[in-house]
Amino acid sequence: MNVRYRVELSQGERDELLGLLRGGKHSVRKLKRAQILLAADAGTSDEDIIASIGVGGSTVYRTKRRFVLSNLEAALSEEPRRGADRKLSGREEALLVATACSSPPAGRARWTLELLADELVRLTAHEAISRETVRRRLAENDLKPWRKDMWCIPQVDGEFVARMEDVLDLYAEAPDPKRPVVCFDESPTQLIGEVRQPIPAGPGQIERYDCEYKRNGTANLFIFLDVHRPWRKVKVTDSRAAVDFAACMRELTDVHFPKSDRIRVVLDNLSTHSAGALYQAFPAAEARRVLRRLEFHYVPKHASWLNMVEIEIGVLRSQCLERRIATKAKLASEIAAWQQQRNASGACIKWMFTTKKARAKMGRAYPEPVTAHKSYAKES
């Protein structure tokens, strides 16, 4: 049946096939089709082509047929393949998705691919379903039932909106040296030491360090960030109690901003972040003196992302702390170097979320205002 498909190449087609075989990255199938066409053009029998190139008779037949009935490009390319039928029908896929989104069986913490496959066998007429079939159908629907994310769900009420817009308006104000806006927060960090000294990197060899390490305790970082100018300050302490917070607030007024009339401080809702902390740490007269120059503004609960210093903490960790630092002294030294470089570079946080954008994006979540209607009856 192959006799009627006679391959006769033009000189241009021969040159193209020879060039294909000489170089470039091509699939093995494409290269073998090129060899088949060249051999057939030279008058080689199908049996010899099969033996020399290492292909089946059907491959030789299909390649010659596509060339004769179509063209060279069609003969070299892959024919579309139908592929196997989908194991699950549309209804069964919907059932799989619904099952994956439901609670797992009693005694199991989460659905696994094997559990879902077994459950689908129980609910349908299939005798067996592979975990790969389940995995592919879940991937198409962007489902991973074995994973969970933990996050805080804020209650967007009047108090949430009031605090959010208060902080956003502070960020939007023009810089005022007499009334600076400073974001403040703390972040604990571990002191990690090496059990064995790392092997430095060299040509053709990356740095290597031992998987074993030793814990040397923890330290706390208090971070100040000026919203309107390239200034940040990181203080390393042993603890983050109320007296530590009070000491930071006094340093803010007396050391960092001694000439400012009023310092607006953006804080989260940690219990130590309060005016009372200063009365725990200092005599009443001293606490009152410091507080007269401070104005606390609190972000909403479960909305620490509104505190701009959270971004700076992320930068600090990625640029400086993403490694093993064994002692508090080394930690303080490394952070001081990072802080000096970042301040000198003029780095600032470019805050894009404004009150206007908040009302546009979160308008539906804003509480509905209640309007009181009063009717007055005329005295007769």
Side-chain angles (χ1 to χ4, degrees):
M1 63 180 175
N2 288 359
V3 176
R4 69 190 186 98
Y5 296 118
R6 186 180 298 277
V7 174
E8 294 180 354
L9 299 172
S10 66
Q11 188 57 46
E13 290 170 335
R14 291 191 196 95
D15 294 340
E16 183 178 345
L17 292 175
L18 290 171
L20 187 72
L21 295 173
R22 287 194 188 104
K25 292 184 178 180
H26 305 284
S27 67
V28 174
R29 288 193 181 98
K30 189 171 186 178
L31 295 175
K32 288 192 173 185
R33 293 190 194 102
Q35 292 173 331
I36 290 170
L37 292 174
L38 287 170
D41 178 60
T44 307
S45 66
D46 290 355
E47 291 76 13
D48 291 341
I49 293 175
I50 293 169
S52 62
I53 300 177
V55 294
S58 60
T59 301
V60 176
Y61 172 75
R62 287 194 304 268
T63 302
K64 294 168 68 175
R65 183 189 63 187
R66 288 203 297 269
F67 175 78
V68 173
L69 299 182
S70 187
N71 53 35
L72 180 61
E73 183 179 353
L76 293 174
S77 61
E78 291 274 358
E79 285 185 323
R81 302 186 181 190
R82 178 176 177 274
D85 293 330
R86 293 173 78 94
K87 180 82 172 181
L88 303 179
S89 66
R91 178 181 173 279
E92 290 166 343
E93 287 188 24
L95 180 61
L96 171 63
V97 171
T99 304
C101 294
S102 66
S103 299
R108 301 303 291 264
R110 61 187 62 83
W111 285 107
T112 64
L113 296 178
E114 289 79 7
L115 281 176
L116 288 169
D118 292 343
E119 184 68 7
L120 216 56
V121 168
R122 188 182 70 81
L123 296 173
T124 65
H126 292 288
E127 294 184 0
I129 296 174
S130 70
R131 69 188 303 277
E132 181 62 14
T133 296
V134 173
R135 186 194 68 79
R136 291 186 178 186
R137 299 295 84 79
L138 292 177
E140 289 176 358
N141 291 277
D142 198 23
L143 275 176
K144 296 180 181 178
W146 52 90
R147 291 187 59 184
K148 291 183 180 180
D149 283 337
M150 180 182 290
W151 59 295
C152 294
I153 305 174
Q155 180 182 355
V156 183
D157 53 13
E159 181 67 17
F160 183 99
V161 171
R163 289 189 175 190
M164 177 180 68
E165 293 201 352
D166 174 51
V167 170
L168 293 179
D169 284 349
L170 279 180
Y171 294 166
E173 285 185 9
D176 184 355
K178 292 296 184 182
R179 303 178 72 242
V181 178
V182 177
C183 293
F184 176 86
D185 202 2
E186 62 270 320
S187 180
T189 189
Q190 290 193 75
L191 300 174
I192 302 294
E194 300 285 1
V195 176
R196 299 171 185 86
Q197 284 301 311
I199 301 174
Q205 178 66 60
I206 63 173
E207 180 185 6
R208 290 174 291 175
Y209 61 94
D210 199 284
C211 60
E212 188 178 354
Y213 59 88
K214 59 181 179 180
R215 300 178 187 274
N216 295 332
T218 60
N220 179 68
L221 309 178
F222 284 116
I223 302 97
F224 305 84
L225 176 72
D226 192 314
V227 169
H228 294 121
R229 67 187 180 98
W231 177 87
R232 71 271 301 135
K233 172 67 179 177
V234 183
K235 181 182 179 182
V236 182
T237 63
D238 293 319
S239 62
R240 55 172 185 170
V243 292
D244 299 304
F245 170 76
C248 286
M249 292 300 101
R250 183 159 69 173
E251 289 177 14
L252 190 63
T253 59
D254 296 354
V255 178
H256 303 312
F257 294 88
K259 297 180 180 180
S260 298
D261 296 335
R262 194 85 167 168
I263 305 167
R264 279 85 60 81
V265 187
V266 178
L267 304 163
D268 63 16
N269 295 274
L270 196 65
S271 60
T272 56
H273 294 173
S274 67
L278 280 83
Y279 282 90
Q280 294 180 42
F282 310 128
E286 176 66 3
R288 188 73 255 159
R289 180 190 71 81
V290 174
L291 285 171
R292 282 196 185 98
R293 297 188 52 219
L294 295 174
E295 184 180 293
F296 293 156
H297 295 258
Y298 294 95
V299 298
K301 292 182 179 180
H302 304 315
S304 58
W305 56 272
L306 282 167
N307 194 337
M308 199 182 291
V309 77
E310 292 286 342
I311 300 174
E312 192 67 19
I313 292 173
V315 176
L316 169 62
R317 293 206 168 277
S318 64
Q319 292 185 351
C320 178
L321 303 182
E322 207 168 67
R323 51 181 164 153
R324 294 176 182 176
I325 300 177
T327 65
K328 180 184 172 184
K330 178 69 172 175
L331 177 68
S333 172
E334 291 295 311
I335 288 178
W338 171 85
Q339 172 186 293
Q340 190 277 331
Q341 293 166 8
R342 190 155 169 81
N343 285 341
S345 69
C348 287
I349 303 297
K350 188 176 181 181
W351 188 263
M352 305 295 290
F353 194 58
T354 63
T355 299
K356 183 178 180 180
K357 289 183 178 179
R359 291 174 181 174
K361 291 179 179 292
M362 302 173 60
R364 292 183 179 180
Y366 271 51
E368 290 289 335
V370 178
T371 305
H373 296 281
K374 295 182 180 180
S375 58
Y376 298 92
K378 291 183 178 180
E379 295 181 3
S380 56

